[in-house]
Amino acid sequence: MCYQLLAICKICHLTSSPGCDIANPKMGTKFLKIVSLSLPGFIVILLQSFPVLASMITDIRLWSAPDHTRIVVDLTEPIQFESSSQENPPQFHLELKEASLKTPKREMEVKDPFLIKMSLTEVGKNKVKLILHQKKPLKANVFVLKPYQDKTHRLVIDLIDVVQEKKELEERQMQKEIKPRGTRIVVIDPGHGGEDPGAIGPKKTMEKDIVLKVGGKLVHLLNQGKEIQAFLTRKGDYFIPLEERIKIAREYGAELFISLHTDGSFNPQARGSSVYCLSLSGATDEAAKILADKENTSNILGGAFLRPAAFAKDPNLNQILLDLMQNNSMKESFRLAEALLEDIKTINPLKYLSYRQANFIVLKAPDIPSILVEMAFITNREDERLLNREDFQEKMAKILTTSIKKYFRP
Ligand SMILES: [Zn+2]
């Protein structure tokens, strides 16, 4: 056991700052423990050295989006890593330092548009190599996420097909250009996705799955006639940052944006539907504020690194014009929210008789009327049962279709 006088990093270490050099394995395989000893007349602060705690890799999973695949590695401790790419065959290599595996080697065949398999191998003492075997060359973004709620330390690798990414963007913009005269464009946003499951019911039903199902049915119904063309922000189980959802809606040229959610509460008795609009001056009540805060944490849970885009930061936009647009969009949102509540109450009890307002990031497009619908409480047994039922999902999609059509034909 070796003791040295403490010279550096006491506060940093004590507060577990992410920038702390103590967490850097370049300093060696030791970490510093601070020991304070009170002696008569003076205080001596000493260091004690112990082996670093290796980070155990406890899980690895992936989420496939049309233009990228996100790989998430769960770890018990923060991690240091080195990455490299290889062209032939296309592979992405990640060497994790001070890491260990539960099993010496793991190889996983995956069903994914861009990946063939992933392999995790122990290479020497406390070193693990992750190899992602790709179908084609891809751009990689690697970042770490700190523990949050029930999530542990996470290492995230986004493998992006830049050609496909550009194609997706061009297709959205093309829809805007080829839109027949008089046709209205509606973008439906199934909340959450991928790493962010949203609220979870007593029977483990996940909000992200229910909203995707209802969203798909809603888009299908809206596209039945010629008057409306509807699109989804996400078509599968992957995460899109909240600001990116607005960007997608704008690329489509949306005239209406509806974000679909299911509510969650610690009170298992809470149930019913509710509708929310943006507020620029604080929430209408505490419950609305709590809900907005919870929905806004989606970016933290889902990992909002990929292509963050904040509409408000566009330097080409005139602030006065933006305010005018925002005022008009909010008025229109209120009109739809009121009409929708009238319609929804014919199929499900309402949590609140009027719409509520709060600072929801996803409703912040200044030029697109936007509302957020909490279809029912997934944390209530009866509501969870309903949300899982195909006929209830159909009913919800139908009632939303009716309200949207009425909105465009006041
Ligand atoms: Zn939600």
Side-chain angles (χ1 to χ4, degrees):
M1 204 175 286
C2 96
Y3 287 93
Q4 302 162 37
L5 274 174
L6 174 70
I8 52 160
C9 239
K10 180 187 170 191
I11 293 165
C12 186
H13 177 64
L14 288 173
T15 55
S16 301
S17 158
C20 174
D21 279 339
I22 287 173
N24 187 344
K26 280 179 190 157
M27 289 191 73
T29 57
K30 308 284 182 185
F31 91 116
L32 309 175
K33 190 180 177 187
I34 297 154
V35 181
S36 300
L37 295 176
S38 288
L39 296 174
F42 60 95
I43 297 171
V44 180
I45 303 169
L46 299 168
L47 291 178
Q48 189 180 23
S49 63
F50 286 107
V52 167
L53 282 177
S55 189
M56 174 85 82
I57 296 168
T58 53
D59 195 15
I60 181 163
R61 55 192 170 273
L62 65 82
W63 310 103
S64 313
D67 56 2
H68 73 275
T69 291
R70 170 165 287 188
I71 297 100
V72 182
V73 183
D74 280 343
L75 304 149
T76 55
E77 305 292 328
I79 196 93
Q80 294 284 316
F81 59 85
E82 264 173 29
S83 65
S84 60
S85 291
Q86 137 181 339
E87 267 186 27
N88 200 12
Q91 284 179 356
F92 182 71
H93 293 203
L94 205 62
E95 199 172 278
L96 310 173
K97 295 165 179 180
E98 300 307 329
S100 64
L101 270 179
K102 277 184 186 165
T103 51
K105 185 174 165 75
R106 277 193 195 173
E107 199 160 275
M108 289 149 278
E109 302 277 338
V110 292
K111 238 179 113 186
D112 179 79
F114 308 116
L115 279 186
I116 304 160
K117 64 178 176 180
M118 309 191 281
S119 65
L120 276 165
T121 320
E122 271 178 344
V123 284
K125 197 171 180 288
N126 286 345
K127 244 187 220 173
V128 174
K129 194 158 192 177
L130 168 65
I131 302 178
L132 303 171
H133 302 257
Q134 301 165 191
K135 291 179 184 169
K136 55 160 108 169
L138 301 163
K139 189 183 137 198
N141 269 341
V142 189
F143 57 99
V144 289
L145 295 171
K146 287 182 187 170
Y148 187 78
Q149 294 178 358
D150 59 341
K151 305 270 186 188
T152 60
H153 287 278
R154 287 172 292 167
L155 178 70
V156 184
I157 307 123
D158 282 335
L159 293 177
I160 305 157
D161 181 343
V162 283
V163 177
Q164 185 62 26
E165 187 182 44
K166 193 162 167 259
K167 220 168 110 190
E168 297 268 323
L169 168 75
E170 284 168 355
E171 270 172 23
R172 290 196 284 268
Q173 287 170 335
M174 172 91 86
Q175 293 294 341
K176 189 172 164 180
E177 281 157 28
I178 61 167
K179 179 189 87 160
R181 247 179 105 98
T183 300
R184 310 296 199 137
I185 291 191
V186 177
V187 168
I188 304 299
D189 171 47
H192 313 276
E195 275 292 280
D196 172 21
I200 298 174
K203 292 213 159 135
K204 304 281 172 265
T205 309
M206 293 188 202
E207 176 179 0
K208 65 173 183 178
D209 297 330
I210 299 294
V211 294
L212 187 63
K213 282 182 187 160
V214 178
K217 291 181 195 300
L218 176 55
V219 161
H220 176 75
L221 283 174
L222 288 169
N223 285 334
Q224 296 292 302
K226 286 202 170 97
E227 50 192 310
I228 291 169
Q229 273 183 358
F231 303 96
L232 289 166
T233 51
R234 73 170 172 99
K235 300 168 195 120
D237 189 9
Y238 51 90
F239 183 73
I240 304 175
L242 299 173
E243 297 85 349
E244 180 77 15
R245 295 170 195 245
I246 300 175
K247 190 170 161 273
I248 290 172
R250 299 196 72 250
E251 284 160 4
Y252 275 123
E255 289 159 81
L256 188 59
F257 177 86
I258 299 181
S259 193
L260 295 179
H261 293 258
T262 67
D263 223 328
S265 171
F266 288 116
N267 172 11
Q269 308 304 321
R271 60 178 306 200
S273 307
S274 48
V275 178
Y276 291 85
C277 297
L278 178 67
S279 167
L280 297 173
S281 55
T284 42
D285 54 85
E286 191 55 22
K289 185 187 175 299
I290 291 168
L291 180 73
D293 289 347
K294 198 174 67 190
E295 296 296 5
N296 291 344
T297 60
S298 194
N299 269 350
I300 306 170
L301 286 166
F305 187 81
L306 194 76
R307 300 159 298 171
F311 181 80
K313 284 185 189 150
D314 189 334
N316 300 318
L317 290 165
N318 175 317
Q319 193 54 47
I320 298 166
L321 197 63
L322 273 181
D323 291 346
L324 283 172
M325 283 196 289
Q326 186 91 67
N327 271 337
N328 184 56
S329 294
M330 285 173 69
K331 257 192 236 159
E332 290 291 283
S333 310
F334 301 156
R335 184 166 70 80
L336 173 64
E338 274 169 2
L340 181 58
L341 283 164
E342 283 302 306
D343 290 334
I344 281 190
K345 73 181 181 195
T346 62
I347 62 158
N348 202 41
L350 297 181
K351 172 81 177 150
Y352 305 110
L353 293 177
S354 56
Y355 63 82
R356 294 286 193 263
Q357 287 177 261
N359 186 28
F360 294 93
I361 294 172
V362 81
L363 301 183
K364 280 189 170 176
D367 52 344
I368 311 169
S370 305
I371 62 166
L372 186 142
V373 183
E374 297 281 355
M375 298 185 288
F377 273 79
I378 206 164
T379 44
N380 173 274
R381 282 188 187 279
E382 183 53 22
D383 271 8
E384 183 189 29
R385 193 184 61 80
L386 280 175
L387 286 164
N388 270 308
R389 283 179 61 148
E390 182 103 18
D391 59 346
F392 182 79
Q393 295 170 6
E394 294 273 355
K395 263 197 222 169
M396 193 53 82
K398 265 189 199 151
I399 217 76
L400 281 158
T401 305
T402 308
S403 300
I404 293 165
K405 284 187 175 167
K406 270 198 258 173
Y407 166 82
F408 285 125
R409 277 182 279 161

